[in-house]
Amino acid sequence: MPPAPFDLPRLLRESSLQHIEYHPTLDSTSTLAAELLEPLLNCAPALVLTAEQTAGRGRKGNAWWSAAGALAFTLVLRGDELPLPAARRPLLAICTGLAVRKALATFAPTAALSIKWPNDVLSDSRKICGILVEQQGSATAPGLLLGIGINVNNSTTDAPPEIAARAISLSDLTGSPSDLTEVLLRILQELDAAVAELSRRPAALLAEVNRHSLLNGRHVTVRSGDTDIAGLCLGIDEDGCLVLQHHSGIARCTTGVVQEW
């Protein structure tokens, strides 16, 4: 087995992780996390990590392009051990987006990094990170899977043309590769801090999210099922909904895909 491009002992030593399930190649870290849910919940927070993901999953079954040098992992959490009431758990995707944005900003401080509701991080409207949060119950505990894919050292110049036009990587922004352990560790640390902030001061966390929200102040169309809702984006509310001012009043989008911005 080739050596891992990660310092696994350091990740365990300098984060809140209790276990790392590492495989050199996986089709999807979230798929394996779901298959191993029961044992992983028994040692949560646990991380499913790979150096190469071949069939990553996004929202609504979309595929996530990945190549050598990308960072792909799924964090397995016990819902009953989070310092959050159940009503705030829907904010975890936005909370995770903020944590990733803050972490990447330390490596690319001059980049224009923003959060795109409900689950992406972008730089100048090009996607650098996708997030998929899934609830997976087990016989003993409620489970939360935070699947995260980040373009780190996989330059999008090597991506298919349709991907290259709308994606970007950290190495594209900085002009040099980053240490994957450093990037992952910073994300885990920022996520712990963001969850703690969501628990103690949700209004402050939400204000920070809205400061970095790509869609705020823009005219957007959100598709939810077979319904399109168009309007001026007023921001993200305390329930994690996208709030739109449209022709007949205020609309709160609990889920959906942004078609235009």
Side-chain angles (χ1 to χ4, degrees), residues 160-223:
E162 67 275 13
I163 299 293
R166 52 189 175 87
I168 199 165
S169 72
L170 186 59
S171 63
D172 293 330
L173 293 173
T174 63
S176 60
S178 296
D179 184 279
L180 289 174
T181 296
E182 291 283 354
V183 176
L184 177 52
L185 185 60
R186 190 59 182 255
I187 290 168
L188 294 171
Q189 293 169 342
E190 290 289 358
L191 182 56
D192 281 347
V195 170
E197 185 78 343
L198 179 59
S199 173
R200 295 193 306 261
R201 301 195 309 155
L205 179 124
L206 190 63
E208 187 173 5
V209 166
N210 276 298
R211 282 197 298 273
H212 298 292
S213 172
L214 176 73
L215 303 179
N216 288 14
R218 300 191 183 195
H219 288 275
V220 302
T221 299
V222 178
R223 170 156 289 183

Side-chain angles (χ1 to χ4, degrees), residues 59-103:
R59 291 179 70 242
K60 301 186 181 299
N62 292 330
W64 171 260
W65 173 77
S66 186
L71 182 56
F73 61 94
T74 297
L75 183 63
V76 180
L77 303 172
R78 286 179 59 115
D80 57 354
E81 291 183 351
L82 286 175
L84 296 174
R88 287 190 198 160
R89 289 179 196 165
L91 290 167
L92 270 176
I94 290 292
C95 183
T96 303
L98 179 63
V100 171
R101 188 218 160 268
K102 291 180 73 172

Side-chain angles (χ1 to χ4, degrees), residues 4-259:
F6 302 96
D7 185 340
L8 301 181
R10 183 185 174 201
L11 287 169
L12 287 168
R13 188 172 61 249
E14 298 183 24
S15 75
S16 60
L17 293 175
Q18 298 301 303
H19 174 74
I20 298 176
E21 182 75 21
Y22 174 76
H23 296 265
T25 302
L26 284 174
D27 55 355
S28 163
T29 59
S30 288
T31 297
L32 183 61
E35 292 172 355
L36 300 178
L37 183 62
E38 195 75 39
L40 290 176
L41 284 175
N42 289 334
C43 55
L47 191 72
V48 180
L49 178 65
T50 186
E52 182 182 16
Q53 182 169 254
T54 60
R57 295 188 288 115
R59 291 179 70 242
K60 301 186 181 299
N62 292 330
W64 171 260
W65 173 77
S66 186
L71 182 56
F73 61 94
T74 297
L75 183 63
V76 180
L77 303 172
R78 286 179 59 115
D80 57 354
E81 291 183 351
L82 286 175
L84 296 174
R88 287 190 198 160
R89 289 179 196 165
L91 290 167
L92 270 176
I94 290 292
C95 183
T96 303
L98 179 63
V100 171
R101 188 218 160 268
K102 291 180 73 172
L104 294 182
T106 64
F107 296 93
T110 62
L113 293 163
S114 57
I115 302 164
K116 178 172 172 275
W117 181 93
N119 65 336
D120 293 336
V121 179
L122 291 86
S123 177
D124 289 326
S125 299
R126 296 173 70 185
K127 189 171 179 176
I128 193 170
C129 170
I131 297 161
L132 178 64
V133 178
E134 300 175 288
Q135 297 191 46
Q136 298 273 357
S138 79
T140 57
L144 290 164
L145 308 184
L146 276 61
I148 302 175
I150 305 171
N151 298 325
V152 178
N153 296 329
N154 52 322
S155 173
T156 54
T157 58
D158 301 324
E162 67 275 13
I163 299 293
R166 52 189 175 87
I168 199 165
S169 72
L170 186 59
S171 63
D172 293 330
L173 293 173
T174 63
S176 60
S178 296
D179 184 279
L180 289 174
T181 296
E182 291 283 354
V183 176
L184 177 52
L185 185 60
R186 190 59 182 255
I187 290 168
L188 294 171
Q189 293 169 342
E190 290 289 358
L191 182 56
D192 281 347
V195 170
E197 185 78 343
L198 179 59
S199 173
R200 295 193 306 261
R201 301 195 309 155
L205 179 124
L206 190 63
E208 187 173 5
V209 166
N210 276 298
R211 282 197 298 273
H212 298 292
S213 172
L214 176 73
L215 303 179
N216 288 14
R218 300 191 183 195
H219 288 275
V220 302
T221 299
V222 178
R223 170 156 289 183
S224 181
D226 295 327
T227 303
D228 286 350
I229 305 171
L232 177 67
C233 179
L234 302 180
I236 299 167
D237 70 9
E238 65 276 5
D239 296 318
C241 298
L242 195 71
V243 182
L244 303 184
Q245 173 74 59
H246 65 129
H247 59 88
S248 59
I250 299 294
R252 297 171 68 251
C253 302
T254 57
T255 187
V257 177
V258 177
Q259 301 290 311

